[in-house]
Amino acid sequence: MPIYSSSESDDFPASPKRLFGSEKPLHALLGGGKAADILLWRNKNLSAAILIGSTIIWFLFEVVEYNFVTLLCHTFMILMLALLLWSMGADLVDLNRLDPRTITVPESTFRWLFAKTNRILLRFYDVSSGKDLKTFILAIGFLWILSGIGDYFSSLNLLYTGFVFLMTIPALYERYQDQVDYLASRGNRDMKKLYQKIDSKVLNKIPRGPLKEKKRY
C-alpha cells in the first residue's frame, strides 16, 4: 500500500527511482548465493542461528568479559566431554557411534570463502588503483569517519553493531523497498528544492564585482 496520497502524484512518480540506482533485485546486488540468502533471511533458521550465535559471543566477551583463550579452552573441554559421553553411551546402549565426518567442515565452504575473499581483494585493488575516483574518495571518507567512530567504541561493540545492521537492514529494505525508495526520492527532491530556494534568494543576491579582462601582451 503506497504511503503517499494522490495529491502528491504530480510531484512524485508512482514508481520512484531505486535507492541504489539499479533495477536489479537486492539479492542480485548482494552477489547472490549463500551470503545473500543469509543476509535476506531466505533461510530463516540459519540466519537466526548466526545472529543468535554472534550475540552470545558478544555477550560473553563484552558483558561477562570472558577471556578469548579461556572461552576457547572451555568450549573444547565441553565438546570433548560430550564426545566421550556419546562414545561411552554408544557402547552401553547399542547406539550408533558419531560419524567423524559430521564435525568436519566441507571443502566447498572453504572454496566459497576463498572465492569471496579474493573478490573483495580484487575490488579493493580496483578502488585503490584510482580507476573510479569517486568511489575512491567515498571509500577514504567512509574509512576516516569509521576511524573516528572507533575512538568512542570498543572494537567488539563496533563489529557487533555493524554485524547486526548487516543482518537486519537488507532484509528490512527488501520488505519495505517501495516505501524506502519513495521516501529517499522525496527527500532528494526536497533537498533540490531547498537548494534552489537558497540559490535564488541568497546566493544570487550576493553582489559580485565585474570580471576583469585579462591583459594581452
Side-chain angles (χ1 to χ4, degrees), residues 29-47:
L29 292 177
L30 293 175
K34 295 180 180 179
D37 291 340
I38 293 173
L39 295 177
L40 296 178
W41 291 70
R42 300 292 171 82
N43 187 341
K44 294 183 179 180
N45 293 332
L46 180 58
S47 299

Side-chain angles (χ1 to χ4, degrees), residues 26-51 54 112 116 120 161-175:
L26 185 59
H27 189 272
L29 292 177
L30 293 175
K34 295 180 180 179
D37 291 340
I38 293 173
L39 295 177
L40 296 178
W41 291 70
R42 300 292 171 82
N43 187 341
K44 294 183 179 180
N45 293 332
L46 180 58
S47 299
I50 293 175
L51 184 58
S54 62
W112 173 82
K116 290 294 182 180
I120 293 173
T161 303
F163 182 77
V164 171
F165 274 103
L166 190 63
M167 290 293 295
T168 54
I169 296 301
L172 291 175
Y173 173 72
E174 185 184 45
R175 184 173 182 179

Side-chain angles (χ1 to χ4, degrees), residues 22 48 59 75-76 82 93 101 118 124 131-132 135 141 146 149 151 155 158 161 163 171 178 198 214:
S22 176
F59 179 81
T75 302
F76 276 109
V93 194
R101 290 176 296 181
N118 290 333
F124 174 80
K131 294 181 180 179
D132 188 348
T135 305
L146 190 62
I149 295 175
D151 293 335
S155 300
L158 193 60
T161 303
F163 182 77
D178 292 336
I198 296 176
K214 295 183 179 180

Side-chain angles (χ1 to χ4, degrees), residues 107-168:
E107 294 182 2
S108 59
T109 302
F110 285 102
R111 287 196 296 268
W112 173 82
L113 182 61
F114 290 150
K116 290 294 182 180
T117 302
N118 290 333
R119 186 178 300 177
I120 293 173
L121 292 176
L122 290 174
R123 179 58 178 167
F124 174 80
Y125 174 79
D126 290 338
V127 173
S128 302
S129 61
K131 294 181 180 179
D132 188 348
L133 188 59
K134 180 181 178 181
T135 305
F136 177 83
I137 295 174
L138 289 175
I140 292 294
F142 173 77
L143 292 174
W144 180 75
I145 294 173
L146 190 62
S147 65
I149 295 175
D151 293 335
Y152 300 96
F153 299 94
S154 66
S155 300
L156 186 59
N157 278 333
L158 193 60
L159 288 174
Y160 176 70
T161 303
F163 182 77
V164 171
F165 274 103
L166 190 63
M167 290 293 295
T168 54

